[in-house]
Amino acid sequence: MIRVLLADDQATIRGAFRIILDAQPDITVVAEAGDGHSAVEQARHLRPDVVLADIRMPGLDGLEVTRLLAGPGVADPLRVVVVTTFDLDEYVHTALRNGASGFLLKRSSPTLLAEAVRAAVAGDALISPQVTVRLLRQLSAPRAAEPAEALTAREAEITTLVGRGATNNEIAAELFISAGTVKNHLANIQRKLAVRNRVGIAAWAWDRGH
């Protein structure tokens, strides 16, 4: 089971997230925190697999919580997914610099919330599609090179959908294949494009105009 700690100053939000996550067969909420100090203290004590942290909390905000639990100077970092109502570039950049394993808007679907938790455990980073597209448009990197090994037609389709911000389940439904098959294709795509995660795939897709 993936063990999750919820950190949000609103009990109603924590309750909603608990219902969503506890309904998953592989995820369980082990603790809740209503402020940043409590989140850091409980996380260090319980060592959950993932911490879901709101940004605006009393005491320490979610960005500082992320730095303390997952930042570059942390000897044994935890995985933190930042969840917020506020879609601000400054928050996204700071969260990722502080070691966040994902950045979600609170209006994201329950499916995306659960998938972000699983992605964090897998060492991946999931960012809300709305945020991803905007970040990619800000990139000034040179045009991505063609992969050394060409993508298959199916892999190209999946790459395009990842670039549009689709989740694994949405890709599976769109292409009439299983979620497991999507994951296998994504692994092959990452290898061929020499990228670390789906954000890298999305960046390549957007840069190539897919």
Side-chain angles (χ1 to χ4, degrees), residues 45-162:
H45 175 67
L46 296 172
R47 304 294 302 177
D49 298 301
V50 178
V51 176
L52 283 181
D54 183 27
I55 286 185
R56 297 193 177 181
M57 291 188 292
L60 299 174
D61 66 22
L63 299 175
E64 182 66 7
V65 168
T66 302
R67 187 186 68 80
L68 292 173
L69 296 178
V74 178
D76 190 13
L78 292 167
R79 297 176 179 93
V80 181
V81 175
V82 173
V83 186
T84 181
T85 304
F86 305 98
D87 182 10
L88 301 177
D89 288 347
E90 178 186 352
Y91 286 167
V92 181
H93 296 158
T94 302
L96 296 179
R97 281 198 305 270
N98 286 358
S101 295
F103 190 98
L104 290 183
L105 301 179
K106 285 185 178 178
R107 61 178 181 268
S108 299
S109 68
T111 298
L112 198 64
L113 180 69
E115 194 160 325
V117 169
R118 296 186 182 104
V121 171
D124 211 335
L126 196 153
I127 302 175
S128 283
Q130 307 95 311
V131 178
T132 301
V133 171
R134 192 175 70 252
L135 288 178
L136 293 175
R137 289 193 171 137
Q138 296 170 1
L139 294 178
S140 58
R143 188 173 175 82
E146 291 294 340
E149 183 181 350
L151 299 179
T152 66
R154 178 64 86 193
E155 289 166 352
E157 285 181 302
I158 291 174
T159 298
T160 298
L161 291 171
V162 170

Side-chain angles (χ1 to χ4, degrees), residues 182-205:
V182 173
K183 290 179 68 174
N184 290 337
H185 281 305
L186 288 174
N188 288 332
I189 294 168
Q190 285 177 211
R191 175 181 57 79
K192 290 181 178 181
L193 300 183
V195 297
R196 295 178 57 188
N197 50 46
R198 73 189 299 121
V199 176
I201 294 174
W204 187 93

